[in-house]
Amino acid sequence: MRRNIKVVVHYPESEGDRIYFSTDIDMPAKDIFEYYRTRFQIEFCFRDSKQFTGPNDYQARELRKLNFAFNASLTSVSIAKVMRQRYYPSLSIGLQKSYLSNIYTLRRFFSKFALKPNRTFNNKLIKELFGIVAGAA
């Protein structure tokens, strides 16, 4: 690189070693670690947004509309992460999206056909439906 760099090695207990570096050699090691850890969280948010909320499918060309769509996408992912942390800690974001989509579809069926769901009878069917999603993931 032909530059001086500051290297920070992090040894977490539960994962493999992490190596971070910065071209700002005066920056404290703790700041380098915190900045990059935050940066990776932001990148995960962008990745999840692209995978699960469909920004690649937008047809808008106007900057204002695209700005709204991207903000809605990132907000959806943030809300999903909070819901996952609170209610579904063992699920991935993709599996959570599938579960919530299935729940929404079932509720639509029940409301459109004016059905009164029988929990005892439908419980097995609903578990099978969700099991298909879990098996596919």
Side-chain angles (χ1 to χ4, degrees):
M1 285 192 241
R2 297 184 184 165
R3 299 186 83 154
N4 291 331
I5 61 171
K6 186 171 192 174
V7 177
V8 177
V9 181
H10 181 239
Y11 301 101
E13 293 179 14
S14 61
E15 304 169 8
D17 301 343
R18 304 275 190 222
I19 301 173
Y20 304 100
F21 70 91
S22 174
T23 56
D24 183 358
I25 58 174
D26 296 325
M27 184 183 289
K30 184 177 180 182
D31 287 349
I32 293 172
F33 171 71
E34 290 295 326
Y35 289 168
Y36 278 98
R37 191 177 74 172
T38 303
R39 177 178 174 231
F40 290 132
Q41 292 302 316
I42 292 169
E43 288 188 15
F44 291 144
C45 191
F46 281 119
R47 181 203 62 194
D48 291 343
S49 173
K50 287 170 69 174
Q51 284 182 346
F52 303 116
T53 60
N56 295 334
D57 300 326
Y58 301 150
Q59 294 183 5
R61 298 288 181 254
E62 187 180 326
L63 186 59
R64 185 178 58 82
K65 292 178 181 178
L66 285 171
N67 190 28
F68 174 80
F70 293 138
N71 281 324
S73 175
L74 291 170
T75 301
S76 298
V77 169
S78 296
I79 291 170
K81 286 185 177 187
V82 169
M83 285 180 62
R84 184 178 130 226
Q85 187 177 22
R86 184 174 294 170
Y87 302 112
Y88 312 105
S90 62
L91 299 181
S92 67
I93 295 290
L95 195 54
Q96 178 186 349
K97 176 187 172 193
S98 296
Y99 276 15
L100 294 174
S101 295
N102 287 343
I103 289 169
Y104 174 76
T105 303
L106 284 172
R107 286 185 176 171
R108 291 271 301 172
F109 281 133
F110 289 141
S111 68
K112 290 295 178 186
F113 295 118
L115 296 173
K116 301 280 188 217
N118 181 340
R119 288 184 186 259
T120 307
F121 177 73
N122 292 331
N123 203 16
K124 180 182 175 192
L125 298 175
I126 291 170
K127 283 182 181 179
E128 284 180 16
L129 174 65
F130 289 162
I132 291 171
V133 174

